[in-house]
């Protein structure tokens, strides 16, 4: 289903989606890091080569930004995404290097309709960012508030069904 047509009901627990591909360049790593995370492992190829990671690596926050672009473009519904109250368990288990190709795997963990506002629900997911080798380079558990297609989860029966008619 196109992302424009999705609502809360279209994200059942247990569903798994894979999206993307974005290529990471050394220039992009350095540009981001100079502006937001100016540590040697991100901005200085010579010092990075002599450091703990043996070469230039992307800032974790740069990786998060790339993940967010893939997540927003492919997973979040265009007309039904309302907000996010936050994320849990952000992890960077492996470095992202120049030349890596990243994609995301999104698993729906929970989908709970709001009791106080039945026109929306909370979808909690596990997002894994994977490199071209299938290795997880980042994981997180975001929560997203999504508009429901049907504001009433239990619509009343149609008049003819109440009267025993209908098909």
């Amino acid at each position: 289903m196109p992302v424009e047509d999705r609502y809360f009901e279209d994200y059942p627990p247990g569903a798994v989606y894979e999206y993307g591909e974005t290529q990471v360049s050394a220039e992009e790593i350095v540009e981001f890091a100079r502006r937001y995370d100016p540590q040697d492992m991100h901005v200085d190829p010579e010092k990075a080569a002599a450091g703990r990671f043996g070469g230039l690596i992307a800032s974790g926050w740069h990786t998060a930004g790339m993940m967010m672009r893939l997540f927003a473009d492919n997973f979040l519904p265009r007309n039904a995404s309302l907000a996010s109250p936050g994320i849990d368990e952000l992890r960077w288990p492996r470095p992202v290097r120049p030349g890596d190709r990243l994609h995301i795997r999104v698993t729906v963990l929970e989908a709970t309709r709001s009791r106080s506002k039945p026109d929306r629900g909370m979808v909690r997911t596990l997002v894994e960012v994977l490199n071209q080798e299938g290795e997880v380079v980042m994981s997180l558990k975001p929560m997203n508030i999504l508009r429901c297609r049907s504001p009433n989860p239990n619509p009343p029966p149609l008049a003819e069904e109440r009267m025993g008619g209908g098909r």
Side-chain angles (χ1 to χ4, degrees), residues 20-97:
E21 185 169 283
T22 189
Q23 180 119 10
V24 184
S25 72
E27 297 78 24
E28 184 180 23
I29 288 172
V30 171
E31 179 184 335
F32 180 94
R34 280 190 179 139
R35 186 156 186 200
Y36 299 108
D37 191 356
Q39 298 180 68
D40 288 343
M41 64 189 133
H42 307 314
V43 297
D44 188 324
E46 288 180 22
K47 288 183 180 175
R52 173 177 168 216
F53 295 101
L56 198 65
I57 64 168
S59 165
W61 299 111
H62 183 192
T63 305
M66 291 183 282
M67 177 284 307
M68 190 64 216
R69 183 61 192 242
L70 293 171
F71 192 69
D73 284 351
N74 298 288
F75 183 78
L76 290 177
R78 300 267 191 280
N79 299 321
S81 181
L82 298 174
S84 172
I87 62 170
D88 292 323
E89 300 180 34
L90 174 61
R91 304 286 185 266
W92 294 292
R94 284 185 159 61
V96 171
R97 299 181 181 279

Side-chain angles (χ1 to χ4, degrees), residues 95-109:
V96 171
R97 299 181 181 279
D100 279 356
R101 292 182 322 277
L102 306 178
H103 69 280
I104 60 172
R105 179 172 52 219
V106 184
T107 304
V108 178
L109 300 175

Side-chain angles (χ1 to χ4, degrees), residues 152-166:
N152 185 350
N154 301 309
L158 299 173
E160 58 220 23
E161 291 173 347
R162 285 192 305 260
M163 299 165 65

Side-chain angles (χ1 to χ4, degrees), residues 97-157:
R97 299 181 181 279
D100 279 356
R101 292 182 322 277
L102 306 178
H103 69 280
I104 60 172
R105 179 172 52 219
V106 184
T107 304
V108 178
L109 300 175
E110 298 174 34
T112 309
R113 188 181 287 262
S114 172
R115 290 182 203 189
S116 61
K117 297 180 181 177
D119 67 328
R120 64 195 65 182
M122 176 79 70
V123 174
R124 212 169 77 87
T125 57
L126 167 64
V127 178
E128 297 167 293
V129 180
L130 299 102
N131 64 18
Q132 65 281 355
E133 304 299 326
E135 300 167 321
V136 175
V137 298
M138 186 176 97
S139 65
L140 63 150
K141 293 181 178 176
M143 297 163 273
N144 295 94
I145 301 170
L146 306 180
R147 183 176 291 121
C148 295
R149 179 178 287 111
S150 170
N152 185 350
N154 301 309

